[in-house]
Amino acid sequence: MSKKNKNIAVFASGNGSNLQALIDAEKREIFSGKIQLIFSNIATAYALERAKLHHIKSFCLESKTFQGTPNQFDAEILAVCVKEKIDLICLAGYLKILSSVLINQYFKRIINIHPSLLPKYGGKGFYGHFVHEAVIKNHEKESGATVHFVTLEPDQGSIILQKKIAVDVNDTPEILAQRVLKIEHEIYPEAVRLFCDDEV
Ligand code: GRF
């Protein structure tokens, strides 16, 4: 029998609107999991405020001031995830590349949302506004969002879910980012549902 009620950790470095979409989806019982932990590498991330507002355990380890290697940084996070019995890690605007310490231990149990139709506009340098600027510059007809497994190569893991939107001639990078973000909020909870139901 599949294990229900998976424990989820969400890692976020910024605003955390995708985190909010996951919090809301948990409340609406869209997926059979529990957001047990919110982690941020940035102390001022609004995602940590969302954790407080929703009474979710949070943990911050500032990457800026951390004295140690990336492996040591991730080992500290890993210890917390193991202690909290985390089954799934969701990266939601987490702006730090994970090391093998976390990826190997949580192989096929870390997912990420990316604001493009991967494999296009993924990998090094393609984050935030850079993605949408490139899409518009290249006169792409469509863009969208992708949820994928995290592997050692950024944005290269297998795709769980993807949704397309048409790029409008009037789209600026900012407008397109907002439109794609709306799509992200739809597909991330659905991808978590698939994971929790052992459908990926
Ligand atoms: C999203 O566009 C996500 O795809 C990317 O970072 C952004 C985070 O936005 N990885 P938010 O913090 O969830 O609002």
Side-chain angles (χ1 to χ4, degrees):
M1 211 178 87
S2 67
K3 187 184 166 202
K4 291 280 176 182
N5 293 315
K6 295 204 162 75
N7 282 331
I8 300 166
V10 183
F11 291 11
S13 303
N15 178 29
S17 69
N18 277 290
L19 162 67
Q20 188 66 52
L22 294 176
I23 292 171
D24 295 344
E26 180 190 332
K27 293 204 166 116
R28 284 161 41 223
E29 299 184 6
I30 300 289
F31 52 77
S32 58
K34 175 177 187 287
I35 302 173
Q36 174 70 18
L37 180 72
I38 292 167
F39 169 70
S40 186
N41 64 320
I42 296 185
T44 53
Y46 188 65
L48 291 171
E49 291 301 315
R50 297 187 196 267
K52 268 191 220 147
L53 287 169
H54 294 275
H55 310 287
I56 303 170
K57 200 179 284 182
S58 69
F59 162 57
C60 176
L61 185 60
E62 282 236 86
S63 45
K64 212 170 52 186
T65 51
F66 185 78
Q67 308 270 329
T69 65
N71 280 357
Q72 287 166 339
F73 185 82
D74 280 359
E76 295 210 14
I77 305 167
L78 175 64
V80 179
C81 288
V82 170
K83 183 167 162 272
E84 296 295 332
K85 298 188 167 49
I86 298 301
D87 301 298
L88 170 68
I89 296 173
C90 295
L91 306 185
Y94 183 63
L95 295 176
K96 192 168 188 312
I97 306 267
L98 296 188
S99 74
S100 57
V101 168
L102 268 166
I103 293 177
N104 291 344
Q105 188 78 19
Y106 272 90
F107 188 67
K108 284 267 178 182
R109 295 189 296 149
I110 308 177
I111 64 177
N112 179 46
I113 184 136
H114 186 82
S116 80
L117 295 174
L118 290 176
K120 281 189 153 185
Y121 305 105
K124 209 163 187 279
F126 281 124
Y127 60 90
H129 63 99
F130 295 110
V131 173
H132 308 294
E133 276 165 12
V135 166
I136 288 176
K137 190 166 163 258
N138 292 337
H139 306 289
E140 295 284 359
K141 296 262 178 297
E142 51 188 27
S143 190
T146 306
V147 181
H148 63 94
F149 282 110
V150 173
T151 56
L152 284 170
E153 284 298 311
D155 302 326
Q156 305 260 312
S158 49
I159 290 172
I160 299 168
L161 213 55
Q162 197 163 59
K163 190 167 175 182
K164 292 177 185 175
I165 54 167
V167 177
D168 194 87
V169 281
N170 297 319
D171 275 340
T172 61
E174 294 73 26
I175 293 172
L176 185 58
Q178 283 309 313
R179 294 176 56 230
V180 170
L181 200 56
K182 265 182 89 175
I183 299 296
E184 295 182 39
H185 299 162
E186 288 172 29
I187 68 168
Y188 215 179
E190 174 58 11
V192 171
R193 184 195 71 72
L194 291 170
F195 183 93
C196 291
D197 291 347
D198 296 325
E199 285 179 31
V200 286

